[in-house]
Amino acid sequence: MEKLEIALLGEPVLRQIALPIDDVTSTDIQQLAQTMLFTLDGSNGVGLAAPQIFESKRIMVVASKPTPRYPYAPTMPATVMINPEFMALSDDMVKDWEGCLSIPSIRALVPRYHLIRVSYMDLTGQRLEVDFEGFIARVFQHEYDHLNGLVYLDRVDSNRDIISEAMFLKLIANDN
Ligand code: NI
């Protein structure tokens, strides 16, 4: 399978509202999911949304694991989420660092809900409900934003919360 080109900030597809998927078990959607898993696996990312590979559809992958880009990430199996929804279970918001494959070389502090209840369809079309907190809740909210034409830079409190990836890696090295 060929790793797909990642849409970079400035591509109109990243600013579109992605369309709901009504044929979850179709070959097209199953193949799209496999392509997304493959593309994410070959990157150091922890999540990917279909608009990032030029498919304006409501499907995303959350795949938290420690990588050079996210050395402190918890491990969870790569999970395909179709037509996802979520609600915050508390008003608590936490600021932490995010990056995005579509916005290379940049990191920023982004406020996100700490605890959320997520609902999504899996690849069989079954709707599942699960609670996420902390880093995984953050990844979910980041990818979910991509389905609504938003990127994490839209969420920062101040431009001063944006730094270069090289500086981020220095900060992380000093923390550990
Ligand atoms: Ni992203």
Side-chain angles (χ1 to χ4, degrees):
M1 200 180 288
E2 218 175 313
K3 207 168 90 179
L4 290 191
E5 184 193 350
I6 299 285
L8 298 177
L9 186 64
E11 290 285 359
V13 69
L14 292 176
R15 291 311 197 172
Q16 289 167 7
I17 307 287
L19 291 175
I21 292 171
D22 55 17
D23 53 347
V24 171
T25 56
S26 70
T27 309
D28 279 3
I29 297 302
Q30 298 288 316
Q31 277 179 356
L32 174 57
Q34 294 314 311
T35 303
M36 289 176 68
L37 287 168
F38 182 81
T39 300
L40 186 57
D41 205 42
S43 75
N44 283 318
V46 290
L48 186 71
Q52 294 183 275
I53 55 164
F54 297 87
E55 291 278 356
S56 193
K57 298 192 169 91
R58 301 188 81 78
I59 175 171
M60 57 189 239
V61 181
V62 174
S64 177
K65 63 174 188 233
T67 71
R69 290 178 79 236
Y70 298 96
Y72 51 85
T75 299
M76 81 177 267
T79 305
V80 176
M81 299 180 182
I82 296 167
N83 299 332
E85 302 290 344
F86 83 97
M87 58 182 279
L89 293 179
S90 103
D91 292 336
D92 278 1
M93 298 193 89
V94 179
K95 267 196 204 181
D96 206 346
W97 295 105
E98 293 185 22
C100 180
L101 294 173
S102 295
I103 310 173
S105 306
I106 294 285
R107 295 299 182 99
L109 281 173
V110 185
R112 299 285 188 190
Y113 291 111
H114 175 69
L115 185 61
I116 60 175
R117 176 155 297 162
V118 165
S119 155
Y120 65 93
M121 293 168 91
D122 67 13
L123 278 170
T124 70
Q126 190 187 0
R127 190 159 276 279
L128 304 173
E129 202 174 77
V130 57
D131 295 350
F132 289 147
E133 66 175 327
F135 184 78
I136 294 174
R138 174 173 300 280
V139 174
F140 177 92
Q141 290 168 82
H142 176 118
E143 301 311 329
Y144 182 85
D145 271 352
H146 277 303
L147 305 184
N148 291 327
L150 293 171
V151 298
Y152 74 91
L153 295 177
D154 300 326
R155 301 276 187 197
V156 302
D157 284 339
S158 158
N159 285 340
R160 289 166 190 257
D161 287 339
I162 303 173
I163 66 173
S164 69
E165 182 166 54
M167 278 304 299
F168 168 77
L169 293 174
K170 269 193 200 173
L171 286 176
I172 288 289
N174 291 339
D175 280 355
N176 295 332

